[in-house]
Amino acid sequence: MTWSEMQPLLSQACWDTFYMVGWSTLIAVVGGLPLGILLVLTDRGGLLQNVLAHKVIGQIVNVARSMPFIILMVALMTFTRWITGTTIGREAAIVPLAIGAIPFFARLVETAVREVDGGLVEAVQSMGGNTWTVVRKVLVPESLPSLIAGTTTTVVALIGYSAMAGTVGAGGLGDIAIRYGYQRFETELMWITVAILAVVISVIQFAGDYAARSLHRRGGHSGAAPRLRLLRPKEPATADVGKVA
C-alpha cells in the first residue's frame, strides 16, 4: 500500500479517535468530578458524612472499574443502541468509553481532593461558608493541578480504550491497525499507526504535565502565592550610642 493510499485512511482514523476520546473525556470529567468529590464529602469526617452512601457509591465505582473494557462494551450494547440507535461507529463507542472512564476519573478526583489542606476548609467554615462554598472556593481550586494530571491520565487511558473499541467496528486508529495491519498483513501501515499513537500520547502527557506544574508553581487556580514583605532590620543600638558619644 502506497502512502497516497494510506494518508486518507490515517487522516480519517485520527479524526475518529480524537472525536471519540474528546467527547468521552468531556463526559467523564462532568460525571466523575462530582462523583469523586462526593466520595470525599460523604466519608467519615467529611462535610456530608454518610457512611452508607459512601460505601454504596464506592462499591459501584469499584465494580465499574474492575470490569475489563472489552466486556463492558458487550454488556452495554443494548444501552448503547438505545442511546445512539446503533452499536457500530464512533458515536456508539463514546457510550462505553465515557461510562468506563467516569469511575476511573472519580477515583483520581477523590485522591486529588483528599490532598487539600484541612486548615483551608476550616478557615472557610469559620467565616460562614457552606459546603458548596468549600467545594467551589477550596477543594476544586486547590486540587486543580492534581485534577489536570488526573485528566491527562484519563485521556491517555481512553486512547488505549478507543483502540480496543476499533476491534468491534468503532473506527479510529485501532480499527485501521486491526483491519489493515493485522487482517490484510499491511505491516507498514500497522507500525505507522503505532507510531502515531505513541506521538499523540507523548504530546498529551507533556502538555498535561506542563499545565499541572505551571499551576502548582502558581499555587493552584487562585494565582500566584502572595509574597511576604521582609522588614529591614533596625540598626543596632550600639551604633546610636557611638554617634552620641
Side-chain angles (χ1 to χ4, degrees):
M1 182 178 289
T2 63
W3 173 249
S4 60
E5 295 173 327
M6 294 181 189
Q7 188 174 7
L9 293 174
L10 292 172
S11 299
Q12 184 62 42
C14 288
W15 168 247
D16 290 342
T17 297
F18 295 152
Y19 182 87
M20 291 186 292
V21 173
W23 277 108
S24 55
T25 300
L26 178 61
I27 297 172
V29 171
V30 172
L33 181 61
L35 188 60
I37 294 175
L38 193 61
L39 283 169
V40 177
L41 296 179
T42 56
D43 199 3
R44 295 183 185 275
L47 299 179
L48 302 175
Q49 179 175 326
N50 189 320
V51 178
L52 178 60
H54 178 78
K55 288 184 177 180
V56 171
I57 297 173
Q59 191 61 32
I60 293 174
V61 169
N62 291 337
V63 170
R65 287 184 61 199
S66 65
M67 188 174 297
F69 180 70
I70 192 71
I71 297 177
L72 182 65
M73 283 194 300
V74 176
L76 291 174
M77 278 187 175
T78 303
F79 180 71
T80 300
R81 184 180 292 110
W82 180 69
I83 293 292
T84 64
T86 182
T87 58
I88 300 175
R90 62 186 188 183
E91 284 78 14
I94 292 174
V95 176
L97 283 172
I99 293 178
I102 286 174
F104 179 81
F105 184 68
R107 283 301 185 187
L108 296 178
V109 172
E110 180 188 12
T111 302
V113 172
R114 288 189 187 279
E115 296 175 354
V116 176
D117 186 4
L120 297 175
V121 176
E122 295 175 358
V124 173
Q125 287 181 305
S126 66
M127 292 185 290
N130 55 19
T131 302
W132 169 245
T133 303
V134 171
V135 171
R136 186 167 56 90
K137 295 292 187 181
V138 178
L139 297 184
V140 173
E142 292 298 323
S143 61
L144 193 58
S146 297
L147 292 177
I148 290 179
T151 303
T152 304
T153 303
T154 303
V155 172
V156 172
L158 281 171
I159 292 176
Y161 290 165
S162 70
M164 284 189 285
T167 62
V168 293
L173 292 170
D175 180 51
I176 293 295
I178 294 296
R179 284 198 295 121
Y180 291 90
Y182 177 71
Q183 295 177 350
R184 302 184 185 182
F185 302 102
E186 295 286 350
T187 307
E188 183 180 357
L189 180 58
M190 184 179 66
W191 284 113
I192 291 175
T193 303
V194 172
I196 292 174
L197 286 171
V199 170
V200 169
I201 289 175
S202 298
V203 170
I204 291 174
Q205 189 66 58
F206 174 80
D209 291 344
Y210 179 80
R213 286 196 301 267
S214 299
L215 283 174
H216 184 72
R217 287 195 297 265
R218 292 173 53 193
H221 182 69
S222 57
R227 297 182 179 179
L228 298 178
R229 292 182 59 188
L230 300 179
L231 298 178
R232 181 173 297 179
K234 296 181 179 180
E235 296 181 357
T238 53
D240 296 332
V241 174
K243 291 179 180 179
V244 174

